[in-house]
Amino acid sequence: MNLNILYRGELSSCNYDCPYCPFAKHWESQQELDADQRHLDRFCTWVEQSEIASLGIFFTPWGEALVRRWYQEAIVRLSRVPHVNKVAIQTNLSSRLNWLAEADRSKVALWCTFHPGQTTVSSFLRQCAHLDELGVRYSVGCVGLREHIEAIEELRSRLSPAVYVWVNADENLVDYYDNQLVEKFTSIDPHFPTNNTHHSSLGQPCRTGQTVISVDGQGNIRRCHFVKQIIGNIYDPDFLSVLKPRPCPNMTCSCHIGYVHLERLNLDQIYGQGILERIPAEWSNRK
Ligand code: SF4
Ligand code: SF4
């Protein structure tokens, strides 16, 4: 059996200051940080001791986790576990990266978001070049706003064609993406139209809750980040019994980390082994 786990602990802070983000320049108390570290350590121990044949781990923190030593150590640690096939994380790519040299880099992948206004294209690309030197796979992307077009185009043109550049539609904006803008972003990211869609999902089969789960710092299992109901806990020795096919209870699904598991979209065919870190198989083969 292969189980993909989206881990989101208590961490909710970031070293960046994006104007629209609740985690911008928010810092936890030492007590909260200690709890996050303790919970992550427990999770890593559970992964190490798990008898599941194959595990994919994807960290989807609130805020930025790679500026925290314990997330760096967790990625190194988990990458060395024989039954872990993938350790991926969403990051703003601002942290130092040397620690990755200690990891089994054949299993590590980064989902890197560029934030115009918080860093420059050149500094971000220096970090990407460091990942290239280390041999770590990654995707790069940005929120698709008109004011970001120039930066996204520069990223695309200066990165190797082997690196997939995604563009996220800002789902809070109504009637923002006219045909011209969709065309522009689709010329950069051929999968932009999929992201720019609220996928109807109510009652439809979705792999979450069966082969993909969301886990919090306490070990609570939810089927995905968008359905709040707790269906079990990984620290319960019998937790596998809760994993079963379930129809989606939400009207729509519009976030990549959710809809990629909606069966009718067949996006596992597009992303293959790169589904967690958002690298389409076609791009993986360009390396
Ligand atoms: S980098 Fe991400 S988490 Fe940090 S402030 Fe910006 S949007 Fe928020
Ligand atoms: S379709 Fe989206 S919201 Fe519905 S269960 Fe799957 S991931 Fe969750």
Side-chain angles (χ1 to χ4, degrees), residues 13-25 61-64 92 113 115 118:
S13 58
C14 189
N15 55 326
Y16 277 3
D17 192 15
C18 303
Y20 48 83
C21 179
F23 311 112
K25 296 286 184 195
W62 295 127
E64 176 58 37
N92 63 22
T113 306
H115 296 276
Q118 304 296 308

Side-chain angles (χ1 to χ4, degrees), residues 62-239:
W62 295 127
E64 176 58 37
L66 286 189
V67 292
R68 303 294 177 183
R69 175 188 41 80
W70 54 95
Y71 280 90
Q72 299 174 1
E73 289 171 355
I75 288 172
V76 171
R77 183 175 164 188
L78 293 175
S79 74
R80 293 173 174 170
V81 177
H83 53 274
V84 167
N85 63 68
K86 173 73 57 72
V87 192
I89 186 165
Q90 293 180 314
T91 174
N92 63 22
L93 203 60
S94 61
S95 76
R96 49 186 284 280
L97 298 170
N98 296 345
W99 55 272
L100 278 162
E102 304 300 317
D104 178 344
R105 284 161 280 160
S106 66
K107 296 187 192 172
V108 176
L110 269 58
W111 160 318
C112 308
T113 306
F114 175 68
H115 296 276
Q118 304 296 308
T119 185
T120 62
V121 170
S122 292
S123 333
F124 188 84
L125 289 172
R126 270 196 297 279
Q127 291 286 79
C128 294
H130 198 169
L131 292 179
D132 290 335
E133 280 162 28
L134 287 160
V136 172
R137 286 158 44 83
Y138 60 98
S139 66
V140 162
C142 184
V143 178
L145 298 177
R146 284 192 174 81
E147 57 269 33
H148 295 167
I149 290 176
E150 210 174 303
I152 300 172
E153 285 184 327
E154 188 179 350
L155 273 181
R156 176 62 287 170
S157 67
R158 291 176 64 187
L159 279 165
S160 152
V163 176
Y164 172 56
V165 175
W166 46 264
V167 180
N168 264 359
D170 185 334
E171 55 182 277
N172 299 312
L173 301 174
V174 180
D175 295 335
Y176 180 79
Y177 295 98
D178 58 25
N179 289 345
Q180 203 182 2
L181 201 52
V182 168
E183 205 174 304
K184 167 61 75 184
F185 287 138
T186 305
S187 71
I188 297 165
D189 173 8
H191 301 293
F192 177 74
T194 306
N195 188 263
N196 188 32
T197 302
H198 292 267
H199 300 281
S200 143
S201 57
L202 184 66
Q204 302 206 13
C206 169
R207 288 182 287 274
T208 62
Q210 185 179 22
T211 57
V212 184
I213 53 173
S214 153
V215 169
D216 69 17
Q218 311 286 336
N220 291 316
I221 303 171
R222 294 173 179 80
R223 64 175 305 163
C224 67
H225 287 334
F226 316 103
V227 177
K228 296 298 164 212
Q229 186 197 357
I230 294 172
I231 57 176
N233 190 293
I234 56 167
Y235 301 124
D236 172 355
D238 191 31
F239 88 96

Side-chain angles (χ1 to χ4, degrees), residues 201 206 208 223-224 226-227 248-250 252-253 257-259 261-262:
S201 57
C206 169
T208 62
R223 64 175 305 163
C224 67
F226 316 103
V227 177
C248 173
N250 290 358
T252 59
C253 189
I257 60 175
Y259 66 66
H261 306 297
L262 187 57

Side-chain angles (χ1 to χ4, degrees), residues 245-266:
R246 295 174 166 83
C248 173
N250 290 358
M251 289 303 291
T252 59
C253 189
S254 54
C255 185
H256 178 93
I257 60 175
Y259 66 66
V260 281
H261 306 297
L262 187 57
E263 290 185 23
R264 73 175 173 81
L265 298 182
N266 292 323

